Amino acid sequence: MIRASIVGASGYAGGEVLRLLLGHPHVEVGQVTSERYTGQFVHAVHPNLRGCTGQPPLKFSSINQLEPCDLLFLGLPHGQAMERIDEFSQMATKVIDLSADFRLRNPSDYLRWYGREHSAPAWLERFTYGLPEVHREDITGADYVSGVGCNATVTILAVWPLFLADLVDRER
């Protein structure tokens, strides 16, 4: 059984991860954090999860109360995971970041595309881009996986067959 926790579980992405994990036969949900809703029941924020946990109702805890687990999902707003990745990496052997914080390899691209410098550039090469249709084998063995983003996913999946068929001029 994998013990998974979610930092930032009150947001949309964190809530969807929680919904999926609660139905997974090989996962036990440990902690779910939310600074705004600490101490409140999860179903107060995500009414669709009422009664589907198979365990006593979950309550949100503070990120400062986070305990070690096997797998840690980071559902924080963009820019926050990079600020605390050293701390989060000590909490779990595997980390999946759902934000944009570790999507790109080149630190200078963060200023261009996200309007801020990356505060943990040494971590960028440790993360595997989490698009399973393209990187399934890499993800399987990875300790750190980045979120991919909806627009990027749609675009990559649309043009990926052209790259596989060598129909794209890679020099342009």
Side-chain angles (χ1 to χ4, degrees), residues 18 56 60 92 103-104 106 125 134 137-138 141 156:
L18 178 57
F60 290 109
R103 287 180 187 160
L104 308 174
N106 186 341
E125 65 186 35
V134 178
E137 288 181 26
D138 295 332
I156 292 168

Side-chain angles (χ1 to χ4, degrees), residues 39-167:
Q40 294 184 38
F41 287 108
V42 168
H43 64 261
V45 175
H46 301 295
N48 61 312
L49 300 179
R50 182 184 305 275
C52 73
T53 64
Q55 60 188 30
L58 285 169
K59 284 187 175 182
F60 290 109
S61 62
S62 170
I63 197 168
N64 297 326
Q65 299 168 314
L66 193 62
E67 298 173 358
C69 57
D70 302 313
L71 174 60
L72 183 62
F73 287 88
L74 305 177
L76 296 168
H78 300 310
Q80 291 186 15
M82 72 173 83
E83 297 292 334
R84 298 178 75 171
I85 190 60
D86 290 321
E87 173 188 346
F88 293 138
S89 68
Q90 299 301 308
M91 302 306 294
T93 55
K94 296 193 179 286
V95 176
I96 299 175
D97 176 43
L98 304 175
S99 75
D101 286 9
F102 299 98
R103 287 180 187 160
L104 308 174
R105 294 271 190 214
N106 186 341
S108 64
D109 287 340
Y110 283 84
L111 185 58
R112 178 179 180 199
W113 295 109
Y114 298 111
R116 68 173 292 178
E117 291 187 15
H118 202 284
S119 61
W123 278 91
L124 294 175
E125 65 186 35
R126 296 184 189 184
F127 276 79
T128 298
Y129 192 68
L131 187 60
E133 293 84 354
V134 178
H135 299 288
R136 185 172 306 277
E137 288 181 26
D138 295 332
I139 292 168
T140 300
D143 289 333
Y144 305 101
V145 177
S146 70
V148 294
C150 53
N151 291 332
T153 298
V154 168
T155 304
I156 292 168
L157 294 180
V159 299
W160 188 244
L162 300 174
F163 278 88
L164 292 177
D166 203 25
L167 296 173

